[in-house]
Amino acid sequence: MIPYINAPFVFLGKKIGAGPDELKLVFSFLLSYPLAGLLKRVPDARPAHKNLFSLGVSIFYLVGLFDLWDGLHTILFSAVGAYAIAKFLRGSPYMPWIGFVFLMGHMSINQIARMRANDPASVDVTGAQMVLVMKLSSFCWNVADGAIPEAELSDFQKDRRLKELPNLLDYAGYVFFFPSLMIGPAFDFVEYRCWLDCSMFDVPATVDPAKKPPTRRKRKIPRSGTPAMLKLATGLMWIGIFVTLSTYFSPDVLLTPRYMEYGFVKRVLVLHMVPLTARTKYYGVWTLTEGACILSGLGYNGVDPATGKVSWDRLVNIKPMGVELAQNTRAYLENWNINTNKWLRNCVYLRVTPRGKKPGFRASLATFTTSAFWHGFYPGYYLSFVLASLIQTVAKNFRRYLRPFFLDPKTQAPLPSKKYYDFFSWLTTQLAFSFATAPFLILSFSGSVAAWSRLYFYAVIGTVLSMAFFASPAKPALRRALEQRAAKAGVVATPEKGPSAGAKRQPLVRTTSNDSVAREPVMGLSDDLEKDVDEALSEIKAEMEARARRASASKPLFKKVA
């Protein structure tokens, strides 16, 4: 650590009641703005200078600011290990999985060390390592895709594949890209390379030259000061809200004797405010880091040919209003930690599925397990994950079998009564997830169960009762009611072979929310837990039958007589 650099943060921390490491973390995010502005001004023809600049700033953050020598060693160990695995095992189909296990295993060791240290106010390297696991496991898959014939790849794989390993300096610049070093956002090496050589900013020929985004001094990176400053202001606003609310709504509040002096409704409201307050911190820091990435140019995501408007949403990681106004669990999770969702989809869910087959139970289970282990090993994390998965399954059934009653059966347009359904959906989604995510903040098993018990386990009981309801004859009754309602409106589901005789028939219109097609899990949580369990049981049964057939076939038809 640079001498005396810690003193002002200790002094300010005592004044406002914050830890010096927390203040230094926010300071590093703010300092990244002017530094990103300098990085952007490194000549386009000097990519090596960009790499060295980013590398130097990151080392200053880790060592000069936080005194994380062990953290620097940790990042180097993961980075060198992943590069060596990609280089020397490139021809093996197991290479990306070996890299994945290496990175996850190394991070897990540090996650356990963090649990043992039990000092939430201090900054350690596990946050940066979580981002690094996403970046480097994706890197291994991108290298593996580079050795596969293009005809066997999806469009996404074709776009991100690496036919050759990058040189070590470019790789180091990717690993140590300072605006996203500590908490993300994560991105693929191909994106970094396109930013580095400025090919990312090539304007398609379809764009009118008069509508090309303005640049400075004949450089290719468009001006990004305004969108970056908007992110900076928004991030500081969220940080200010967090500082204000955290005085009243810290997770410890849920375990104090005074909390039990409140009535049940007030306890529920306080419970809702505790996770909301915690989310504002993430809204703030993720928005700040995204803004620094935008200022450097890496947030660039193309230009609209018609209007010439530049999009800067390549690395967006959070949509606060999408979370706070979500009327269903899937919308809630899709707007939270967006880049982690993409990583789980592209590097786990789709990768464990054999080519040519649809993802099923094994893909969902692998994604769920990876998401849980990636977060860490606190018991509270697993309580939250399990309950949230059950809540998502129940919510899907409600939307599939109740929501259509509030839509016109012919046009699927909302009926006047739908506004009541929307409000009730929003309220139950928010209160259910406030209950489910409380252990994520409390962390300990005993504390989490104690906090739930003080609210009479309302979300657990509601989820169990809802599951029982949809496992009862009520579910087929609702299905018949929907079919009768559709038939009265002249909309009837028809078999694939053709329409039946009688009234006017056409395929039943389905909305996205009640589509029966299986969808990918979000944050590792299954979208249809019931279907996944049935699929698992079917797989187990099929495997047992196959083994029985093999055992039967191996037995001799006649016993040899002595």
Side-chain angles (χ1 to χ4, degrees):
M1 183 185 296
I2 296 176
Y4 308 112
I5 199 170
N6 201 46
F9 297 104
V10 173
F11 175 79
L12 182 60
K14 290 179 179 178
K15 292 291 184 181
I16 65 175
D21 277 358
E22 293 173 319
L23 293 175
K24 283 191 282 187
L25 189 63
V26 174
F27 171 75
S28 71
F29 298 153
L30 297 177
L31 183 60
S32 291
Y33 278 79
L35 293 176
L38 292 175
L39 175 63
K40 183 180 179 180
R41 282 160 178 76
V42 175
D44 295 346
R46 298 185 180 272
H49 290 189
K50 294 182 182 180
N51 287 324
L52 291 171
F53 183 90
S54 192
L55 191 60
V57 173
S58 290
I59 292 174
F60 162 71
Y61 283 168
L62 289 169
V63 178
L65 189 60
F66 292 105
D67 199 26
L68 287 174
W69 285 101
D70 288 342
L72 178 60
H73 298 156
T74 294
I75 292 175
L76 287 173
F77 184 78
S78 286
V80 171
Y83 191 90
I85 289 169
K87 180 178 177 63
F88 297 111
L89 299 178
R90 189 176 184 186
S92 170
Y94 302 107
M95 180 274 286
W97 290 115
I98 294 172
F100 178 80
V101 171
F102 164 73
L103 292 165
M104 288 289 289
H106 185 209
M107 183 184 66
S108 297
I109 293 172
N110 287 314
Q111 295 278 29
I112 293 171
R114 174 189 167 206
M115 286 179 61
R116 296 179 64 181
N118 194 27
D119 187 6
S122 66
V123 171
D124 62 10
V125 78
T126 52
Q129 198 174 8
M130 291 169 75
V131 177
L132 198 62
V133 166
M134 290 192 287
K135 292 171 69 173
L136 297 186
S137 59
S138 298
F139 174 80
C140 289
W141 278 113
N142 298 154
V143 172
D145 289 339
I148 297 175
E150 190 169 317
E152 299 179 13
L153 300 176
S154 66
D155 290 340
F156 177 84
Q157 290 173 300
K158 293 175 187 176
D159 182 60
R160 304 302 169 94
R161 68 192 305 214
L162 292 171
K163 295 183 179 180
E164 296 180 359
L165 283 174
N167 64 62
L168 290 176
L169 184 57
D170 286 355
Y171 180 73
Y174 170 65
V175 170
F176 287 97
F177 185 69
F178 70 87
S180 67
L181 175 70
M182 301 303 290
I183 62 165
F187 47 89
D188 287 337
F189 181 82
V190 168
E191 295 175 289
Y192 180 76
R193 185 175 62 188
C194 290
W195 169 82
L196 197 63
D197 62 18
C198 293
S199 60
M200 174 185 288
F201 310 105
D202 291 338
V203 179
T206 55
V207 177
D208 186 343
K211 294 180 179 179
K212 289 184 178 181
T215 59
R216 188 182 295 273
R217 297 180 183 178
K218 297 183 179 180
R219 291 182 182 163
K220 297 180 71 174
I221 302 179
R223 295 181 180 180
S224 56
T226 299
M229 291 305 104
L230 287 174
K231 291 291 182 179
L232 173 63
T234 305
L236 290 175
M237 178 197 72
W238 285 117
I239 293 292
I241 294 173
F242 169 72
V243 171
T244 303
L245 294 179
S246 61
T247 305
Y248 308 101
F249 300 110
S250 69
D252 296 336
V253 169
L254 302 175
L255 301 176
T256 60
R258 186 179 178 185
Y259 181 66
M260 290 305 294
E261 297 175 4
Y262 303 148
F264 177 74
V265 173
K266 187 173 182 179
R267 291 204 300 272
V268 172
L269 291 176
V270 171
L271 170 78
H272 177 67
M273 290 303 299
V274 168
L276 172 59
T277 300
R279 288 196 297 274
T280 59
K281 176 177 69 175
Y282 290 99
Y283 295 159
V285 296
W286 279 337
T287 303
L288 287 176
T289 55
E290 183 195 349
C293 291
I294 289 173
L295 192 58
S296 73
L298 191 56
Y300 180 81
N301 201 24
V303 58
D304 187 331
T307 64
K309 184 178 179 180
V310 176
S311 176
W312 293 100
D313 61 354
R314 176 182 294 273
L315 299 180
V316 62
N317 198 42
I318 189 71
K319 296 180 180 179
M321 292 301 100
V323 175
E324 302 304 328
L325 300 179
Q327 297 176 12
N328 61 81
T329 57
R330 191 170 186 87
Y332 189 105
L333 295 169
E334 281 180 336
N335 289 291
W336 175 262
N337 211 349
I338 296 169
N339 289 305
T340 300
N341 279 323
K342 292 178 181 178
W343 171 67
L344 289 170
R345 175 187 184 273
N346 294 318
C347 290
V348 183
Y349 184 74
L350 296 178
R351 299 292 185 172
V352 299
T353 305
R355 189 176 287 109
K357 292 187 177 181
K358 291 183 178 180
F361 168 73
R362 294 180 183 179
S364 297
L365 180 62
T367 308
F368 178 88
T369 304
T370 301
S371 181
F373 280 13
W374 180 80
H375 281 90
F377 299 98
Y378 284 104
Y381 293 167
Y382 295 86
L383 289 174
S384 292
F385 270 105
V386 171
L387 181 57
S389 185
L390 296 174
I391 289 172
Q392 176 141 314
T393 298
V394 167
K396 182 213 64 176
N397 281 324
F398 274 110
R399 286 180 66 81
R400 178 175 293 176
Y401 296 108
L402 290 184
R403 185 174 182 270
F405 287 105
F406 299 89
L407 303 173
D408 185 284
K410 266 191 174 181
T411 64
Q412 298 297 301
L415 298 174
S417 58
K418 189 174 180 291
K419 59 180 176 289
Y420 303 109
Y421 171 86
D422 291 342
F423 175 77
F424 184 75
S425 296
W426 168 80
L427 184 64
T428 52
T429 297
Q430 297 298 326
L431 294 183
F433 266 97
S434 294
F435 185 95
T437 55
F440 217 90
L441 304 173
I442 297 171
L443 302 179
S444 69
F445 179 83
S446 59
S448 300
V449 174
W452 279 359
S453 68
R454 291 179 164 204
L455 294 155
Y456 310 119
F457 297 97
Y458 73 80
V460 176
I461 294 173
T463 301
V464 170
L465 291 177
S466 298
M467 293 177 72
F469 174 79
F470 286 108
S472 72
K475 184 175 178 178
L478 287 172
R479 186 184 291 114
R480 287 193 299 271
L482 286 173
E483 291 171 353
Q484 292 170 3
R485 185 170 178 266
K488 289 181 180 178
V491 181
V492 182
T494 59
E496 292 183 2
K497 293 183 179 180
S500 304
K504 179 183 178 182
R505 296 178 182 270
Q506 62 189 62
L508 182 63
V509 178
R510 290 184 181 271
T511 62
T512 302
S513 62
N514 57 4
D515 194 342
S516 61
V517 177
R519 293 178 294 176
E520 298 159 6
V522 186
M523 290 302 293
L525 302 181
S526 172
D527 191 59
D528 195 336
L529 187 62
E530 182 181 357
K531 180 180 178 181
D532 286 342
V533 171
D534 291 341
E535 198 171 289
L537 294 175
S538 298
E539 287 185 11
I540 293 171
K541 182 180 178 181
E543 180 66 22
M544 292 176 65
E545 291 175 349
R547 289 187 179 185
R549 285 194 298 269
R550 288 196 295 268
S552 176
S554 64
K555 290 181 180 179
L557 294 176
F558 302 99
K559 290 184 179 181
K560 186 175 181 179
V561 180

